[in-house]
Amino acid sequence: MSADPSTNPEAHDNVIEDTDVAFGHVVPVPNQNKKPVKNRLGFEYMEHCFIGDSTKLTLADGQQVAASAHKFALPNGLNLTYGQINGLAGDFYGTKNPISDGTDDQDRSVRFVAAYNSLAVDTTRQPKEATDILAVLQAGLNAVNNALANHQDPSIAYSKLPDVSIKLEYITFGRKDIPGYLGLARINWDHFGIDARTAYNAGHATAILKAVNGDLEGAYAMNAFADHFLEDSFSAGHLRTPRRLLHTPHNLASDVCAKFMHDEDGAIGLNRALDQEAAENSRRCVRAVQASVDEVYKAFTSRTAPSPADYAAWKVAPTLDSARATTQALATLFTFKKERRKTLSARRVWDFKTNWRSFWTAAECKLSGLWNSPIVIDSVKHTPSRWTDICIAGPRIWSLDVFYQSPSGSLLRSQNVDGLWTRGFNEPITDAVRFTPLASVDWDSGEQASEFTLIRVYYLDRDYVLQEYCYSEGSGWYARSIGSMNIIAAHSTRLAAVYYGPGCHIRIYLQEAGSLNITEVCHDDGRWFRGEVLRSALEGTSIAAVTYLWDSNREIRVYFQKGDLSLSEYSHNRLGWNQVPGGSPIDAVVWVPSTENAVIQVYWRDINDSIVMSKRHTVWEPVATVLQGGVTSGFQFSVLQWDQGKILRIYWQGPDHVLREHCNDNSGQSWFPGSLKLGAIE
């Protein structure tokens, strides 16, 4: 065995080893889209491009190809995929004459062709302008694609990306007869409700006619532009918003009101089309676009056009009546009767007023904080944030603290004292960056002098600097000095921390900015210092760590995912592990029976959204399911053990955002739901 690293920190250099053992194999779904990106409005370029490039095209010779692999050579020299045309349509290219404003089918077709030509035919600003737009959108590609490839919800990646609206407006400013990016947004009712259906029908009919006349490539490119408006009919933010009504030519506040409703419905209604909990809506949207594509090919081969009443896509799309029904949990912010929800914060209450003004309503929405990310239906001050990280401190048996984050970014604590949960929510401890990772260490006050800290919580501040907040008897909560090390974490990192005595020895594990390596940060003898740099890992991997004393030597084991998704252990012993879904939460507990080897239990989320566990005493045992389903991608959990593993607790968050407890009081033999329900609606 190696020397105790608490007495010789440098000894760590030679004792940590990396090994792999297999429990299975999971391959992430490849993202075919080449240029998806975040945007503040929710259902714009990235979603449109992803959906468009998820389809299959049948070419004129009968060959089928993935839309993402087929470039359309547009008349002005642009070479774009179906999804790229789809994503640029409407939001970046159009005219000052909305399609749905046309007086009849022919007028609407003329307006659609003019909008399409602003992207595909214009040579005064193309192809440079569209290429510059795509270059700006490229900035968010890696973050979003990484989330998708690792089975994570891209909304988290969205929230951490900068707003690029000003850059996009700069590129598109000064266009003749074509509004810029922000100008198009002011007259964008073609993307909402019945107007979106009208705009799609006009574009699809025009593309169908081109296909009937024998130009399949041109028809596909034109249909890609039209499908943008079809896809908007799958976005909650576009289905109910009375966009045309909420527009006054010389009153920007009306448009801002529409934006608030769009964002609220998009966040709470059907949610983003690429989020896991909206997966069925996403699949239906892909089916509708595929039906639209297939209809173009059928028109090309048959040389006949279907009736607009028979367009296949509308047989898949959600109905406007269902979206606007009062059975929806979220009460609409504005109605088509020019009404406004009476109380902005009462998002479940269908009660409206008519005496409202757009300027004051926009100001009230802005100042209320109700639209700060993440937008939630129940604005309880201390409810858990969606996708909050979770950590637990259990300084003595039957007493513990669960730490999590509120929607405003505050770190919160809920306590269990002698088996009873404290009522309500405690006041915020401190503030952190949104979606901060969390880790904690603790030790029993009965075994330490009163001046020793009982609980330490680790998190990232708003500059992504690693920070420590502490609790001790008699002093309450206070900040400590680790922030002076200025360790800047990667935006996607997770945290793990372990404590061991005698004395105060702490190890923290994270990924730093600009690196995929797992970095160790150490505390010994009252000082912080940098420790080992472990091997490269999956970006944003969950990290778990345990430590124990065996045969008079200290062991630390660290668990994380490598780039190939294998679950890996860093330790003094050779071991190997299996692949799990990318970005899966991981946690571990350990205890040492008095005369036996250490017992380690490692938990993770598998591809079936279940929490599973493998136990090692002398050898690793088969994987066992602990919690069947419910822990979907993007949500976290944390594990605690007492009394040599006889008592186990798991704290986890599901798609309803409620933080729950899962219990075992029988040495792992049987699990049952606990009483904790943080964020539950009474």
Side-chain angles (χ1 to χ4, degrees), residues 311-492:
Y311 285 165
W314 296 126
K315 298 176 183 178
V316 184
T319 65
L320 297 178
D321 289 342
S322 65
R324 298 171 184 175
T326 56
T327 54
Q328 291 277 351
L330 173 64
T332 184
L333 183 59
F334 300 102
T335 74
F336 286 86
K337 299 178 181 179
K338 295 187 177 180
E339 299 169 318
R340 196 210 88 176
R341 195 167 65 223
K342 184 176 290 185
T343 305
L344 294 179
S345 60
R347 283 174 161 151
R348 294 180 183 269
V349 180
W350 289 75
D351 191 13
F352 303 93
K353 64 180 182 180
T354 56
N355 58 331
W356 62 277
R357 297 177 66 90
S358 58
F359 176 82
W360 295 112
T361 294
E364 187 180 354
C365 290
K366 178 66 177 178
L367 296 174
S368 69
L370 294 168
W371 275 263
N372 294 340
S373 178
I375 302 171
V376 294
I377 193 169
D378 298 291
S379 54
V380 180
K381 183 178 181 182
H382 299 324
T383 190
S385 168
R386 186 185 193 192
W387 298 304
T388 181
D389 203 357
I390 306 163
C391 68
I392 317 168
R396 61 188 179 90
I397 192 168
W398 299 119
S399 293
L400 61 91
D401 297 68
V402 178
F403 299 93
Y404 52 96
Q405 191 172 36
S406 75
S408 66
S410 299
L411 296 189
L412 306 176
R413 173 182 65 157
S414 190
Q415 288 184 294
N416 185 304
V417 179
D418 295 327
L420 297 176
W421 289 101
T422 55
R423 298 297 299 169
F425 299 92
N426 291 317
E427 288 301 308
I429 297 170
T430 187
D431 288 330
V433 68
R434 294 290 302 123
F435 308 112
T436 182
L438 296 172
S440 62
V441 296
D442 61 81
W443 53 95
D444 190 342
S445 59
E447 296 179 0
Q448 302 292 346
S450 60
E451 67 267 18
F452 275 78
T453 302
L454 300 180
I455 299 172
R456 298 191 180 193
V457 178
Y458 301 95
Y459 64 96
L460 305 181
D461 66 18
R462 297 184 188 277
D463 295 319
Y464 292 89
V465 175
L466 179 65
Q467 299 287 358
E468 177 186 48
Y469 223 67
C470 308
Y471 176 85
S472 64
E473 297 289 344
S475 299
W477 287 96
Y478 55 94
R480 288 293 295 257
S481 60
I482 194 172
S484 63
M485 294 184 70
N486 197 36
I487 295 175
I488 301 175
H491 289 197
S492 60

Side-chain angles (χ1 to χ4, degrees), residues 21-78:
V21 246
F23 299 173
H25 185 79
V26 176
V27 179
V29 177
N31 179 16
Q32 295 294 336
N33 178 29
K34 296 299 188 289
K35 295 183 181 294
V37 72
K38 166 265 184 190
N39 78 88
R40 295 290 183 191
L41 300 182
F43 199 94
E44 278 188 23
Y45 180 80
M46 208 288 283
E47 290 89 343
H48 286 292
C49 188
F50 180 90
I51 296 295
D53 274 347
S54 295
T55 60
K56 291 183 179 179
L57 304 173
T58 305
L59 304 183
D61 61 3
Q63 178 188 1
Q64 279 199 338
V65 296
S68 60
H70 184 75
K71 293 277 189 176
F72 291 96
L74 302 183
N76 58 9
L78 278 168

Side-chain angles (χ1 to χ4, degrees), residues 171-232:
I171 293 171
T172 58
F173 182 77
R175 299 193 290 200
K176 184 179 180 181
D177 297 327
I178 304 174
Y181 175 66
L182 298 179
L184 284 171
R186 283 213 68 197
I187 56 172
N188 66 349
W189 45 87
D190 277 345
H191 304 252
F192 290 81
I194 191 64
D195 290 325
R197 293 187 170 226
T198 300
Y200 167 75
N201 284 351
H204 187 56
T206 307
I208 288 283
L209 182 60
K210 186 175 281 288
V212 168
N213 290 329
D215 183 3
L216 182 60
E217 286 285 299
Y220 275 149
M222 190 169 280
N223 201 66
F225 200 95
D227 278 347
H228 181 105
F229 307 105
L230 168 64
E231 291 157 14
D232 280 336

